Amino acid sequence: PAVSFLFLGKSVGKNVPSKIQRCVFSDSQAGAIELRGASEIEVLDNAFHKTYRTAVWVTKESLPNSITIRGNAALETLRHPREAEGWWRPFAAFLVEVTAKELLGNLAAGSTGSGFVLRPKLEACESPAGQASAGWAQEADLNEAVGCLTGFFILRACKETCSQCAILDSAVAWKNSHAGVITVDQSSNMKVQSVLLADNHIGMTLNFHRAGQDLQHRVFHHNMTVFGSTPASVCGASTVCHALGPTDTLAKNCNSVVGSTFRRVGVLTHMVNNLPKLCETNPKLKVCRPPNTPVKPCVMTWEKREGTQGSRYSEAHWSSITFGHFTGDDCGMTSAGVALQPQAVHAPIPQFFSDVRWLSSANESVRINMVKGLSAGDDGTQHAFFVDVDGTLMATGRRGGSAISRRSPELATADCATLPGHYACDQLKLRFLAWDAVGSPKHRVLGPFKAWRSSDRRATWSRGAYEGNCLPDKPRQGERGWAVKSQEMYNLTLFASPPKHHRLRYFSDHSEDSIRLAIFLTQPFRLEVYVDGSVVADELDKSADPAGPRYPSLADPHGSYAFDPHQRRFYLTMRGGTYKGVPGSMGGGDVFLRLLQVVQLSLTLSTPVTEFDGPKLVQNIATLLQIPAHRIKVVSVQSRAQVAAQQGRRLEENEGNATALVIQIVEDAPPVDQALLDDTQTEGSAPGDSVDTGAANDETASNDSSTNGSGVDGVTGEPAQEEADFSVTALAELVSIAKTVEQKVTSGELAQAAGAQVEVDIVVSDPEEPIATTSVTTTSAETTSGVLVDVTTAVETTAVETTAVETTAVETTALGTTTSATMAPGSTQVPIDLSKTSLSPASTTMPWKGTITTAMPGSTSEGGPSKPAPAPAPKPQEDYVELRFRGLDYYTIDLDAFKAEVLAALPISSSAKGRLTILLYPGSVIVQILGDASVLEEVRAEDLTAVTVRGVPAEVTYFGEASNDDSLDAAKMKALIGGAFMGCALAGITITVAFCRIRRQALSKQDGLLRRSGGTE
């Protein structure tokens, strides 16, 4: 360089105060001024012209907060023509690797790299909105970057994650070919204020690197002016951007994430990554000079995402923002004032806008872009929302509304207005709801999670985060989230077996914001509820409300809950506010749920509900089974009349005085692990720590994928917490209890303990059974000491299937097959093959259910007529007729009501109706009539074609013996595959048949996967 201050070893920072003032530097071949290991130096009022690489470079060895750079002008900062082009060598007119004591009033013009690369100062993160302006910089103090590749490149403020705000204050960036303001791998919160952006390809794009457990990330923007194409831009000279790309080390082309879509974007919403891409944090690149050198080609461009999702929750606040000069026809392209970051696909980042001013030069059609350049189905797009805090963002004057993506019409309400770039919903108040599977195995795939809104029956889905797209990084599988409407009820349905531990967070600071959730559980469980790590008070259990059991309401306190064992839904009210001093938007009031395995007994007693003595029955059962009474919970007490009313049927003659009970025998579980209850936050080194890049001499390691470096929490994508799942030992004990109950029913001892005739249905929790199948068997209670058992293993699918069987039989439903053992007329007992319930350490599946009816010893019961034997069970290759009803709303259909309508409409006999199977998945409702040729002789295609249900005509397809030969056409094969693997529809997979071949090989379920085991495929 022309001037170099070099201090090494013990002399670092020991130089006497010095000044470089009012000098002119021209045609400097290796930079003009370099300060290495320096302190107490002032660089004042100098001019730099045609400098190669850097006008002023303050290296990382210099002392922070000791260098003053003020009033300098750097014109034409150029890449040296002899610089190698095989790798990126970022440079800047002003490259300041440590926090400067003062950096004011400098001009960077015409840099083919950055105007400024700087280490920001840290300060408290209070929102700047409403603060007094005294002390703010005047015009002469503004740093200005014009005509550069990037204007201001903000380096990482802290070595690790820190809670203070990096600040960019008093800056002007205009006519920069890529971005006016950019940060990459920023680890702190950030505050941007008193900034003018104009005529940049992207005015501002902020990209962060934070730990996955983080809930406290915030970005504040205040007192900003953002212009698109002003008269300073002309179409012939500045239409196409220039940005560094994966193979473009000179930025000869436009490689930005919005380059082919927009000419100008005022601001892109920020993004939080889990992996760093710069060498100062990621050790993949051993030579790190300067600190913003990318570690691999594929991580570029600067605003491209890297790794999976970073912070679990983040939000941005915008105040006193002026937008202007944005148009839909911008030199043949389009522009946008504020746009969603198209790479922020993992989860939504709420944006809160207030005091927004739109100049008339900002065309209404391009002010907000939440559609162009975005893909549908990503959580970051589907659940994105901008909150109009005071009605100025959407210029409606209505406070609290939301702008949402055109890619997510399911999130909108009827009063939303459709605008070219978004839905303007000025009466839709949205907040973010997060669900986590705590301690769930890292390898587990949970699939989509549905949130169904009660008021308008609209459903949205959460798929979770993506994995890394360059540096390998697995997403945290157990995280889902939705944008939810305040003062609303939602049903949550997970199409997989549930994890043992759940955490729910509702990110709102306002106590008037409340939601009620109904979480569907595939199996009976007992739930323990914790709020902020403490068990909730008994009065919040609304199923034991002194005024009578009820569901929690939107008006109830936060954490109010109830469990309905009949619907297998857990109801929970969540409310915004501050809990234990922590606002809801920071994770306060988090709800932790622990699912405990149970033996659930559904009993019908022959005594009236008014005579039921709960405590006595619990004690009698505890004595009978020789287990502690505290493990036995009465979760529901109803009269049979109430049950019949809920089921929409008439009360049968023998049900008048009966009482319906649901009793759960809970596993003997230890106290919940405190490590699971704790909401761990990763807080890094002390604010202000400088970044040690650890420079070495080997840059070839950049192509090594063995390590990625997180720089935040020492892991790549998984929270550092103990894994926890359902106990195999506890499940085995519950199976043993179920066997004992069965024996006590058979001997009559249970009826004696209850003091009345008892009808019992026994279900043991099966944590691995999916939601897919419900098999309903109707039985007669009019038997003499009869034992009726229904043993069912669910079909592994994500559809909802209901099979109507009216028989007294032992039925086992396996994957793709059904076998049955029918009771002979007059039989009183069917033996149970309990070998099917045996457990080994390698298997935790317990698909055991029992339906048992008995009378008290010595009592007499009239034996009713024997029910007819069931029709032959369908074989894997059995013929069937399929009726498809396209267009029916999968999310709102009532299965029982629809089935009744189908049965009434079908012109077939009762025996064929008994073989009816209804399958549902998004987009279609399918009815299958199973049987061999003799059973289906009466099914005439022309009769079925005339069937219409709810105004939708049936599309009829026959699948017969031709399905087993090699002549299958593509359409039939697609129908077969779609019927067999209905989860494909939920996963958004399109089936395309290019070649068909039939293989005789069966599939069986092992460890939750499909395995080949011989037979037919």
Side-chain angles (χ1 to χ4, degrees):
V3 175
S4 176
F5 283 71
L6 178 60
F7 298 89
L8 302 175
K10 295 182 179 180
S11 67
V12 170
K14 300 296 179 62
N15 58 288
V16 297
S18 305
K19 288 185 181 180
I20 305 174
Q21 187 172 15
R22 297 180 64 80
C23 299
V24 176
F25 299 82
S26 182
D27 291 284
S28 301
Q29 294 294 300
I33 298 174
E34 182 175 326
L35 308 179
R36 186 179 297 274
S39 66
E40 301 302 328
I41 293 181
E42 297 180 71
V43 182
L44 308 173
D45 303 321
N46 300 285
F48 306 88
H49 177 249
K50 205 172 183 180
T51 305
Y52 291 96
R53 289 204 59 79
T54 303
V56 179
W57 187 1
V58 182
T59 72
K60 65 178 182 178
E61 294 85 4
S62 298
L63 267 60
N65 302 307
S66 66
I67 307 296
T68 298
I69 305 172
R70 185 176 65 234
N72 303 280
L75 312 178
E76 286 191 87
T77 305
L78 307 173
R79 180 188 182 93
H80 199 284
R82 295 181 181 178
E83 182 95 45
E85 299 180 7
W87 202 261
W88 301 262
R89 293 295 185 188
F91 62 94
F94 299 92
L95 175 51
V96 186
E97 294 189 43
V98 297
T99 304
K101 180 179 180 180
E102 188 176 290
L103 183 65
L104 294 173
N106 301 288
L107 169 66
S111 172
T112 56
S114 296
F116 297 81
V117 174
L118 60 93
R119 187 80 61 191
K121 292 184 177 180
L122 285 164
E123 63 177 43
C125 268
E126 290 83 3
S127 173
Q131 293 181 359
S133 60
W136 287 0
Q138 302 303 307
E139 184 176 354
D141 294 330
L142 298 176
N143 291 307
E144 182 176 352
V146 54
C148 305
L149 189 64
T150 57
F152 293 83
F153 193 112
I154 314 301
L155 296 173
R156 193 180 184 99
C158 315
K159 184 185 302 182
E160 304 289 347
T161 302
C162 56
S163 58
Q164 289 186 290
C165 269
I167 182 157
L168 175 66
D169 192 359
S170 306
V172 177
W174 60 293
K175 286 191 71 66
N176 297 291
S177 66
H178 183 189
V181 175
I182 190 168
T183 188
V184 178
D185 290 355
Q186 186 59 252
S187 58
S188 66
N189 296 319
M190 194 160 182
K191 185 188 296 185
V192 180
Q193 62 185 24
S194 302
V195 171
L196 168 63
L197 306 171
D199 297 274
N200 305 289
H201 172 57
I202 300 174
M204 181 167 60
T205 172
L206 306 180
N207 305 276
F208 296 84
H209 171 219
R210 303 272 291 194
Q213 302 98 322
D214 171 49
L215 304 173
Q216 302 180 6
H217 185 244
R218 299 294 184 271
V219 182
F220 300 96
H221 312 79
H222 179 66
N223 189 31
M224 292 178 59
T225 299
V226 183
F227 288 164
S229 295
T230 70
S233 294
V234 293
C235 293
S238 59
T239 303
V240 180
C241 84
H242 291 270
L244 298 173
T247 60
D248 188 356
T249 61
L250 302 181
K252 294 180 179 179
N253 302 301
C254 183
N255 299 291
S256 83
V257 298
V258 298
S260 61
T261 307
F262 296 96
R263 184 190 185 197
R264 305 272 187 256
V265 172
V267 289
L268 277 181
T269 57
H270 74 272
M271 176 172 58
V272 188
N273 294 320
N274 188 62
L275 289 182
K277 63 170 64 177
L278 303 183
C279 65
E280 71 170 353
T281 305
N282 193 321
K284 288 181 66 63
L285 194 64
K286 303 306 180 183
V287 174
C288 190
R289 182 181 180 190
N292 60 331
T293 302
V295 297
K296 286 188 76 174
C298 57
V299 304
M300 296 300 286
T301 186
W302 295 126
E303 69 274 18
K304 179 182 176 183
R305 76 174 176 93
E306 194 48 61
T308 187
Q309 179 183 352
S311 296
R312 185 68 179 97
Y313 180 75
S314 174
E315 65 183 34
H317 295 262
W318 306 75
S319 57
S320 300
I321 313 294
T322 298
F323 291 95
H325 300 279
F326 292 97
T327 177
D329 184 8
D330 199 349
C331 295
M333 302 179 71
T334 188
S335 295
V338 57
L340 274 181
Q341 187 6 315
Q343 294 273 307
V345 296
H346 304 301
I349 300 177
Q351 311 283 320
F352 295 84
F353 288 85
S354 62
D355 191 17
V356 178
R357 182 187 179 199
W358 294 98
L359 301 183
S360 58
S361 57
N363 190 289
E364 184 178 3
S365 65
V366 297
R367 292 178 178 180
I368 302 172
N369 177 67
M370 303 180 76
V371 58
K372 189 178 289 292
L374 305 176
S375 58
D378 302 329
D379 284 6
T381 299
Q382 183 181 13
H383 297 285
F385 60 97
F386 297 172
V387 177
D388 194 351
V389 176
D390 58 359
T392 57
L393 174 66
M394 297 183 291
T396 63
R398 188 186 294 271
R399 303 168 64 90
S402 302
I404 62 175
S405 173
R406 287 278 303 275
R407 299 292 189 194
S408 183
E410 301 87 357
L411 192 58
T413 55
D415 52 17
C416 293
T418 302
L419 297 181
H422 65 287
Y423 290 119
C425 308
D426 61 1
Q427 299 183 52
L428 179 61
K429 185 175 184 179
L430 295 174
R431 291 296 184 266
F432 185 61
L433 171 68
W435 173 89
D436 297 343
V438 182
S440 185
K442 299 176 183 179
H443 62 271
R444 185 175 184 194
V445 178
L446 292 171
F449 204 158
K450 183 175 77 170
W452 184 83
R453 193 164 62 197
S454 176
S455 62
D456 55 11
R457 298 174 171 268
R458 294 193 176 191
T460 55
W461 298 79
S462 174
R463 69 165 309 279
Y466 290 86
E467 62 182 13
N469 55 352
C470 172
L471 304 177
D473 188 25
K474 294 296 183 182
R476 299 179 296 276
Q477 289 288 350
E479 295 182 356
R480 300 292 185 269
W482 310 265
V484 295
K485 179 184 176 185
S486 177
Q487 296 297 310
E488 183 61 87
M489 298 182 183
Y490 284 86
N491 288 354
L492 302 184
T493 304
L494 176 65
F495 289 84
S497 54
K500 184 178 180 66
H501 301 103
H502 305 237
R503 176 173 280 120
L504 290 153
R505 295 187 178 99
Y506 182 45
F507 292 95
S508 174
D509 296 342
H510 306 290
S511 59
E512 66 271 17
D513 292 345
S514 67
I515 55 174
R516 195 196 73 180
L517 307 177
I519 304 172
F520 179 74
L521 301 173
T522 62
Q523 297 290 301
F525 291 102
R526 181 70 180 174
L527 284 92
E528 292 181 344
V529 185
Y530 300 76
V531 174
D532 286 326
S534 301
V535 178
V536 299
D538 292 341
E539 56 266 23
L540 295 183
D541 182 359
K542 299 307 174 183
S543 61
D545 194 296
R550 63 178 178 86
Y551 297 147
S553 69
L554 292 170
D556 282 326
H558 179 69
S560 299
Y561 71 96
F563 176 64
D564 187 334
H566 303 288
Q567 297 187 32
R568 290 186 184 168
R569 289 195 180 273
F570 174 76
Y571 294 85
L572 173 69
T573 293
M574 301 189 73
R575 183 175 297 280
T578 299
Y579 300 92
K580 294 186 177 180
V582 180
S585 62
M586 293 285 188
D590 76 273
V591 176
F592 181 92
L593 305 177
R594 178 164 75 152
L595 274 59
L596 299 177
Q597 300 167 111
V598 300
V599 176
Q600 180 165 297
L601 309 178
S602 299
L603 296 86
T604 300
L605 303 182
S606 58
T607 57
V609 68
T610 54
E611 300 178 11
F612 170 68
D613 187 341
K616 181 179 178 181
L617 178 62
V618 167
Q619 189 58 55
N620 289 346
I621 293 177
T623 302
L624 182 65
L625 301 179
Q626 297 183 349
I627 60 175
H630 72 267
R631 293 181 57 188
I632 303 174
K633 311 290 183 182
V634 178
V635 295
S636 174
V637 180
Q638 293 179 297
S639 69
R640 288 297 292 175
Q642 291 174 306
V643 175
Q646 292 172 359
Q647 296 173 348
R649 62 176 178 82
R650 293 194 305 176
L651 192 66
E652 297 182 10
E653 185 176 347
N654 61 347
E655 293 184 299
N657 294 320
T659 299
L661 306 176
V662 177
I663 295 176
Q664 291 181 343
I665 303 171
V666 186
E667 66 174 288
D668 191 11
V672 66
D673 192 332
Q674 191 62 39
L676 295 172
L677 284 174
D678 289 342
D679 179 17
T680 56
Q681 294 294 312
T682 301
E683 189 70 16
S685 57
D689 284 355
S690 62
V691 177
D692 180 8
T693 62
N697 57 9
D698 178 17
E699 70 180 38
T700 61
S702 63
N703 293 316
D704 176 19
S705 62
S706 60
T707 60
N708 298 325
S710 76
V712 177
D713 55 2
V715 295
T716 54
E718 287 295 338
Q721 61 184 17
E722 175 186 342
E723 289 187 3
D725 213 338
F726 292 98
S727 167
V728 176
T729 303
L731 185 56
E733 190 229 4
L734 292 177
V735 171
S736 175
I737 292 176
K739 295 177 183 179
T740 303
V741 171
E742 185 269 329
Q743 294 168 359
K744 301 301 181 184
V745 171
T746 304
S747 66
E749 292 175 79
L750 182 61
Q752 191 171 12
Q757 182 177 336
V758 181
E759 179 184 341
V760 186
D761 176 70
I762 306 173
V763 181
V764 179
S765 299
D766 176 10
E768 291 190 353
E769 183 174 328
I771 188 175
T773 303
T774 302
S775 181
V776 181
T777 302
T778 60
T779 63
S780 172
E782 299 176 355
T783 63
T784 304
S785 299
V787 181
L788 308 178
V789 181
D790 170 27
V791 183
T792 304
T793 302
V795 176
E796 183 76 271
T797 172
T798 51
V800 180
E801 179 180 357
T802 299
T803 304
V805 183
E806 186 152 350
T807 175
T808 53
V810 178
E811 178 182 79
T812 302
T813 306
L815 188 65
T817 64
T818 301
T819 61
S820 61
T822 307
M823 288 179 60
S827 295
T828 59
Q829 183 171 340
V830 174
I832 307 170
D833 183 6
L834 290 175
S835 64
K836 297 182 182 298
T837 68
S838 61
L839 289 171
S840 65
S843 172
T844 58
T845 303
M846 181 52 239
W848 190 87
K849 301 178 183 179
T851 302
I852 301 172
T853 303
T854 186
M856 290 183 62
S859 66
T860 58
S861 213
E862 294 184 6
S866 301
K867 292 183 179 292
K875 301 177 179 60
Q877 292 84 27
E878 187 174 31
D879 298 357
Y880 64 96
V881 173
E882 180 178 284
L883 286 72
R884 182 185 296 266
F885 297 87
R886 296 185 185 273
L888 292 180
D889 190 349
Y890 160 77
Y891 303 108
T892 61
I893 191 169
D894 182 282
L895 184 62
D896 293 332
F898 179 77
K899 180 181 175 183
E901 294 178 41
V902 172
L903 288 172
L906 288 178
I908 60 178
S909 67
S910 58
S911 62
K913 290 180 180 180
R915 310 300 305 284
L916 182 72
T917 301
I918 297 179
L919 308 176
L920 289 84
Y921 55 90
S924 296
V925 176
I926 294 177
V927 175
Q928 288 183 349
I929 306 168
L930 305 177
D932 54 28
S934 61
V935 175
L936 298 179
E937 281 180 354
E938 60 183 292
V939 182
R940 293 164 45 107
E942 57 267 27
D943 294 337
L944 292 178
T945 305
V947 171
T948 299
V949 178
R950 301 191 181 184
V952 179
E955 299 176 13
V956 182
T957 307
Y958 174 80
F959 295 97
E961 290 300 324
S963 299
N964 290 326
D965 61 35
D966 296 334
S967 62
L968 283 173
D969 59 25
K972 185 168 292 187
M973 192 64 182
K974 288 173 66 174
L976 286 171
I977 295 173
F981 297 99
M982 290 161 290
C984 294
L986 294 177
I989 296 173
T990 301
I991 300 171
T992 302
V993 177
F995 176 76
C996 296
R997 184 177 65 182
I998 302 300
R999 299 177 59 191
R1000 303 291 184 255
Q1001 197 167 38
L1003 302 175
S1004 63
K1005 180 184 175 185
Q1006 296 178 12
D1007 301 326
L1009 302 174
L1010 295 177
R1011 308 289 190 189
R1012 295 189 176 104
S1013 61
T1016 302
E1017 177 183 25

